[in-house]
Amino acid sequence: MNAFEAPGRTVAPTTDDLFLGGALTVRQPRNGYRAGTDAVLLASILTPETLGAGSVLDVGAGVGVIGLCVARRCPSARAVLLERDPVLAALARDNVQRNELTGRVSVVETDLARATAALEAAEIKSESFPVVLANPPYHDDRRSTLAESPLKAVSHQMSDDLLDVWARFMCRMAAPGGRVAMIHKADALSRILETFEGRFGSIAVLPIHARAGEPAIRVIVEGIKGSRAPMSIRPGLVLHTPEQAFVPEIEAIFRHGAPLPPQYRG
């Protein structure tokens, strides 16, 4: 474990964690926000063949795991990591450098609700990303006990109205015909669909189950900006065997950087 120096603050301790079977080394707070399964799953909806040299915006990037996974798995792609917390943004920059991805991955530190000036300074235009991804905070701050760590609290808690702010920003940044995707708790599905309505079409819902026969614990919701195509529900994705091991296709994603099998992605 290490201490990490950020502008005006010190976060201690941090850990160095391996992703994609060791293809990425990511430093993140030991007791604060910690990226894991959800981030890697969301990144795995993209393939080098479909993304090519396109750019991906990772909204609310935290320490950068989603965008870094995309950049590592898709060697021609570029990624922009947008994060409001100065400590997490500093960790994201450190992770970009330590994984030698500075040529293709950049970090913009800003609150997405007030991002115009920061985006202009970084020469990033609205409606410029073919893909926009988001792993927003999962807990309504009016219904849950505040996390002991302020850093963990801002990373894991948000109110209902802020989910609409996230969807609006994703729509703003997606190119016409661009693809957006969000991973969230399964019980947030109705709220996500409400915020996507009128902004995205061709919506596809991927239920994610810890084990076969159990209710979904997560959903990945995708949409196409400007599309009028109807919604579809994909086959449920199961993560674990009854013995708690990853099923083979999930093992391939986490250990070998494989994409989701075709039936689970667009």
Side-chain angles (χ1 to χ4, degrees):
M1 294 180 292
N2 307 293
F4 180 76
E5 297 288 340
R9 297 172 65 179
T10 299
V11 176
T14 59
T15 61
D16 290 332
D17 301 310
L18 301 180
F19 287 81
L20 304 183
L24 285 174
T25 302
V26 174
R27 174 180 273 186
Q28 54 183 334
R30 180 172 180 263
N31 298 313
Y33 171 83
R34 292 185 62 79
T37 301
D38 293 347
V40 178
L41 283 176
L42 185 58
S44 72
I45 69 172
L46 303 175
T47 69
E49 294 76 21
T50 58
L51 183 57
S55 296
V56 173
L57 178 63
D58 179 1
V59 180
V63 299
V65 172
I66 294 173
L68 291 169
C69 283
V70 171
R72 181 64 80 216
R73 291 179 52 254
C74 303
S76 298
R78 305 177 69 86
V80 175
L81 316 179
L82 191 150
E83 173 54 46
R84 72 173 183 173
D85 185 273
V87 173
L88 297 180
L91 281 164
R93 293 189 192 96
D94 180 68
N95 288 328
V96 171
Q97 293 176 355
R98 62 168 47 200
N99 287 286
E100 300 181 346
L101 289 169
T102 54
R104 294 191 291 118
V105 182
S106 60
V107 179
V108 177
E109 183 181 323
T110 186
D111 188 325
L112 61 87
R114 296 177 291 275
T116 299
L119 293 172
E120 289 178 350
E123 300 183 343
I124 296 173
K125 296 180 180 180
S126 297
E127 295 195 304
S128 62
F129 289 90
V131 179
V132 180
L133 304 177
N135 179 13
Y138 284 166
H139 301 294
D140 187 330
D141 58 13
R142 294 170 299 183
R143 299 176 184 173
S144 58
T145 302
L146 288 177
E148 295 180 3
S149 163
L151 183 59
K152 189 170 186 177
V154 300
S155 301
H156 285 275
Q157 298 173 350
M158 75 186 300
S159 57
D160 286 349
D161 57 336
L162 284 180
L163 189 58
D164 186 73
V165 173
W166 281 62
R168 186 185 313 126
F169 183 77
M170 294 172 76
C171 186
R172 169 188 171 183
M173 301 310 297
R179 181 181 181 187
V180 303
M182 176 183 291
I183 189 167
H184 210 297
K185 295 191 305 179
D187 62 15
L189 177 58
S190 62
R191 291 194 291 126
I192 297 171
L193 294 177
E194 288 174 4
T195 64
F196 275 28
E197 184 178 3
R199 294 179 172 125
F200 312 109
S202 191
I203 292 173
V205 178
L206 172 64
I208 301 172
H209 307 261
R211 284 165 291 276
E214 295 184 359
I217 56 172
R218 296 284 187 268
V219 288
I220 293 177
V221 184
E222 298 184 52
I224 303 297
K225 182 174 177 177
S227 172
R228 295 180 179 272
M231 186 179 77
S232 62
I233 299 178
R234 293 182 175 140
L237 176 68
V238 175
L239 301 181
H240 300 285
T241 69
E243 295 75 29
Q244 306 302 316
F246 283 130
V247 301
E249 55 264 42
I250 299 300
E251 180 78 11
I253 291 169
F254 288 115
R255 308 302 181 210
H256 307 296
L260 275 173
Q263 67 268 31
Y264 302 119
R265 54 179 167 84

